[in-house]
């Protein structure tokens, strides 16, 4: 390493060294901040950034905060350093950028790419167009309709939820394009979607009205930030993990606020939730798996993954949800939802690692969208409904307080168990999962 450094900087003044450190620190900060903005897990950001710094022959220290990233570069002898602080930009989730920037870090390490080439490649990657907004809109609508079916909604409810999702997500796209505050966007979209979902109570009476309302806004549930937050916390990046979980919590509060407006206007307050009994557990598990495949694919496309990843995501969603349903309903097991979701998460994680190695794509890019179809959205909805009832009906508040803590605790335990078990294979095969992007997938 010392020989390489001497060849790169044969005779450098202090000013030249500091200039070089500054230019490269700025690039690394921009690179790391972009990865954080598009939803990359904290360990991958650090590994990728340090890898590029090593290609320069420098030591790199990274401090990551919820809104800023601090990069400190040292030369080989630790005699000189430069620190640069970069604010995290506002960008949408983008798994394609995750994959391509991770691949760029390996190219920098293997090929010793100069800084000018890295800047050129970086700008090209982040400027690539996303998936068509209409494709995303239609697939998300179908995904949420299938999500409704997974919670035992009938075809009337599925149609209502499809329309509610299509309109709500279109409003979200338009308001986001106009740079509205994200909390306001989620509140408005939740209100719009639940207003449409409530029409089943008012006009159609399709038989599963509770599912029409309860799942109409579940496309807004911030599944990826929640999963990232849990994964970061498990991986000892507690500050970033808690920040992501807190941000997701604020978004859920915004969703609840929009829902409460609808409940207040229409005086809709469902207490009985639909629960269908299906005698053939195996066929029911297969059917749920197929609906989950559509749901997982639709929710995945929000994060702009490469198209080659969508089929694998659909397969993992199908298998994961089918496994969970089987363990929950088969007479020999009858597991509770926490245990069944944890087992399903483990299966998804075990399958995601070899799939990632096959097409050179980060394993969490498969695993996270596949888990979204198993997010306990209805328990979160019930918890929100109970919280509203605590305020509106203080005379019987004790009953709703008990229900609120039951539903909210179950939501947290399902999410934590599912994500924790899913990332176990990723952490066990850490070296393999963090080097899959060394080759570019075909």
């Amino acid at each position: 390493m010392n020989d390489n450094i001497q060849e790169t900087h044969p005779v450098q003044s202090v000013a030249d060294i500091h200039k070089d450190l500054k230019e490269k620190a700025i690039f690394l900060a921009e690179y790391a901040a972009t990865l954080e903005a598009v939803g990359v897990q904290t360990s991958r950001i650090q590994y990728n950034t340090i890898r590029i710094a090593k290609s320069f022959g420098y030591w790199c220290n990274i401090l990551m905060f919820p809104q800023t990233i601090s990069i400190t570069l040292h030369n080989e002898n630790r005699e000189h350093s430069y620190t640069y602080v970069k604010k995290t930009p506002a960008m949408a989730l983008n798994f394609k950028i995750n994959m391509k920037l991770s691949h760029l870090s390996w190219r920098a390490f293997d090929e010793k790419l100069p800084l000018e080439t890295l800047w050129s490649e970086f700008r090209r990657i982040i400027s690539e167009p996303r998936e068509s907004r209409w494709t995303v809109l239609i697939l998300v609508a179908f995904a949420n309709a299938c999500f409704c079916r997974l919670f035992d909604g009938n075809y009337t409810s599925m149609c209502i939820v499809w329309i509610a999702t299509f309109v709500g997500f279109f409003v979200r796209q338009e308001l986001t394009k106009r740079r509205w505050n994200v909390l306001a966007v989620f509140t408005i979209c939740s209100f719009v979607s639940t207003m449409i979902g409530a029409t089943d109570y008012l006009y159609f009476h399709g038989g599963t009205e509770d599912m029409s309302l309860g799942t109409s806004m579940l496309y807004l549930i911030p599944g990826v930030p929640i999963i990232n937050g849990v994964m970061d916390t498990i991986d000892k990046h507690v500050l970033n993990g808690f920040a992501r979980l807190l941000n997701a919590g604020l978004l859920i509060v915004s969703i609840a606020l929009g829902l409460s407006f609808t409940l207040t206007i229409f005086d809709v307050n469902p207490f009985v939730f639909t629960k269908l009994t299906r005698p053939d557990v195996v066929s029911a598990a297969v059917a749920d798996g197929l609906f989950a495949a559509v749901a997982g694919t639709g929710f995945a496309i929000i994060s702009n993954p490469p198209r080659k990843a969508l089929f694998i995501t659909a397969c993992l969603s199908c298998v994961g949800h089918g496994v969970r349903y089987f363990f929950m309903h088969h007479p020999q097991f009858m597991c509770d939802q926490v245990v069944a979701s944890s087992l399903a998460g483990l299966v998804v994680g075990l399958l995601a690692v070899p799939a990632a190695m096959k097409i050179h794509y980060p394993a969490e890019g498969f695993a996270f969208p596949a888990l979204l179809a198993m997010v306990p959205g209805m328990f979160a909805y019930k918890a929100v409904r109970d919280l509203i009832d605590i305020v509106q009906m203080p005379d019987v508040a004790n009953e709703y307080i008990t229900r609120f803590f039951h539903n909210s605790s179950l939501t947290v335990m399902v999410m934590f168990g599912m994500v924790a078990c899913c990332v176990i294979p990723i952490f066990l095969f850490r070296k393999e999962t963090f080097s899959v992007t060394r080759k570019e997938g075909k």
Side-chain angles (χ1 to χ4, degrees):
M1 177 65 76
N2 290 332
D3 292 338
N4 292 336
I5 298 299
Q6 291 172 3
E7 291 176 6
T8 306
H9 309 296
V11 178
Q12 281 190 313
S13 66
V14 173
D16 290 336
I17 294 174
H18 276 269
K19 180 181 178 182
D20 193 60
L21 286 169
K22 176 181 178 180
E23 291 175 346
K24 290 171 178 174
I26 291 174
F27 171 78
L28 291 175
E30 189 76 33
Y31 175 90
T34 300
L35 284 177
E36 184 171 42
V38 299
V40 180
Q41 193 258 343
T42 301
S43 288
R44 186 175 293 278
I45 297 173
Q46 293 188 338
Y47 286 145
N48 289 356
T49 306
I50 292 172
R51 189 179 299 128
I52 297 177
K54 287 181 178 179
S55 75
F56 296 143
Y58 289 148
W59 299 94
C60 180
N61 292 323
I62 307 175
L63 288 177
M64 299 185 64
F65 300 98
Q67 289 294 323
T68 56
I69 288 182
S70 174
I71 298 287
T72 299
L73 278 187
H74 302 265
N75 67 340
E76 181 70 10
N77 298 321
R78 302 290 184 103
E79 296 174 344
H80 304 282
S81 65
Y82 188 88
T83 299
Y84 186 81
V85 179
K86 168 68 179 177
K87 183 177 180 180
T88 304
M91 298 176 67
L93 294 173
N94 197 319
F95 288 170
K96 187 181 292 184
I97 288 181
N98 175 7
M99 177 189 71
K100 293 194 172 184
L101 288 185
S102 296
H103 175 63
L104 181 62
S105 72
W106 281 111
R107 284 189 59 202
F109 184 80
D110 293 332
E111 302 173 24
K112 301 296 185 288
L113 298 178
L115 184 60
E116 294 77 12
T117 302
L118 288 172
W119 270 118
S120 176
E121 288 294 304
F122 173 79
R123 293 189 180 103
R124 179 186 62 80
I125 291 170
I126 65 173
S127 63
E128 289 184 1
R130 295 178 65 92
E131 193 68 60
S132 164
R133 62 173 294 187
W134 296 107
T135 301
V136 174
L137 185 58
I138 292 171
L139 287 179
V140 170
F142 277 111
N144 208 34
C146 290
F147 212 25
C148 174
R149 176 61 182 78
L150 292 174
F151 290 111
D152 297 323
N154 60 20
Y155 290 110
T156 301
S157 292
M158 289 177 67
C159 292
I160 293 171
V161 169
W162 192 97
I163 296 171
T165 305
F166 187 92
V167 175
F169 200 84
F170 178 80
V171 172
R172 176 181 173 180
Q173 289 178 328
E174 291 298 311
L175 295 182
T176 301
K177 186 167 63 175
R178 289 165 174 76
R179 300 184 182 278
W180 280 46
N181 179 275
V182 65
L183 298 180
V185 171
F186 270 58
T187 302
I188 293 170
C189 293
S190 174
F191 174 65
V192 170
S193 293
T194 52
M195 286 277 284
I196 297 173
T199 58
D200 201 6
Y201 279 99
L202 302 174
Y203 306 112
F204 301 105
H205 307 291
T208 55
E209 297 92 337
D210 50 330
M211 295 299 107
S212 301
L213 176 63
T215 59
S216 60
M217 75 317 190
L218 290 187
Y219 68 94
L220 292 169
I221 295 295
V224 172
I226 292 174
I227 295 170
N228 263 330
V230 174
M231 188 174 181
D232 279 347
T233 304
I234 294 173
D235 205 21
K236 300 181 181 179
H237 298 292
V238 179
L239 181 60
N240 259 24
F242 273 44
R244 283 172 159 164
L245 290 173
L246 180 59
N247 181 57
L250 291 174
L251 294 177
I252 292 173
V253 170
S254 299
I255 297 170
L257 188 59
L259 171 64
S260 66
F261 290 155
T262 297
L263 298 182
T264 301
I265 291 172
F266 289 139
D267 194 25
V268 172
N269 196 5
F271 291 94
V272 179
F273 286 82
T274 301
K275 187 64 180 177
L276 301 181
T277 301
R278 306 176 198 171
D280 188 350
V281 175
V282 175
S283 63
V286 172
D288 266 32
L290 294 176
F291 280 109
V294 179
T297 303
F299 291 138
I301 205 167
I302 298 176
S303 305
N304 195 45
R307 291 190 176 184
K308 64 185 179 182
L310 289 176
F311 175 74
I312 297 177
T313 299
C315 292
L316 294 183
S317 298
C318 178
V319 172
H321 206 282
V323 166
R324 186 177 76 164
Y325 187 93
F326 181 81
F327 278 109
M328 287 181 64
H329 296 89
H330 195 280
Q332 292 184 355
F333 300 103
M334 299 299 290
C335 298
D336 60 76
Q337 188 156 353
V338 177
V339 174
S341 298
S342 300
L343 291 172
L346 180 62
V347 172
V348 169
L350 288 171
L351 295 176
V353 172
M357 297 176 183
K358 179 68 176 178
I359 69 168
H360 309 293
Y361 180 70
E364 59 268 28
F366 299 126
F368 289 2
L371 294 180
L372 292 181
M374 294 187 287
V375 168
M378 283 307 301
F379 288 108
Y381 165 66
K382 292 178 184 180
V384 169
R385 182 214 63 187
D386 294 334
L387 192 60
I388 295 171
D389 288 339
I390 291 171
V391 176
Q392 292 183 343
M393 289 179 278
D395 294 339
V396 288
N398 288 339
E399 177 185 351
Y400 294 117
I401 290 173
T402 302
R403 290 183 181 181
F404 168 75
F405 280 103
H406 169 76
N407 289 318
S408 57
S409 299
L410 192 56
T411 301
V412 172
M413 291 174 67
V414 169
M415 284 296 304
F416 187 86
M418 180 174 64
V419 176
C421 289
C422 179
V423 301
I424 285 174
I426 296 177
F427 289 156
L428 285 178
F429 299 97
R430 180 183 292 268
K431 181 178 179 180
E432 290 79 5
T433 55
F434 282 93
S435 62
V436 293
T437 53
R438 193 165 196 168
K439 294 181 180 180
E440 188 171 14
K442 300 302 182 183

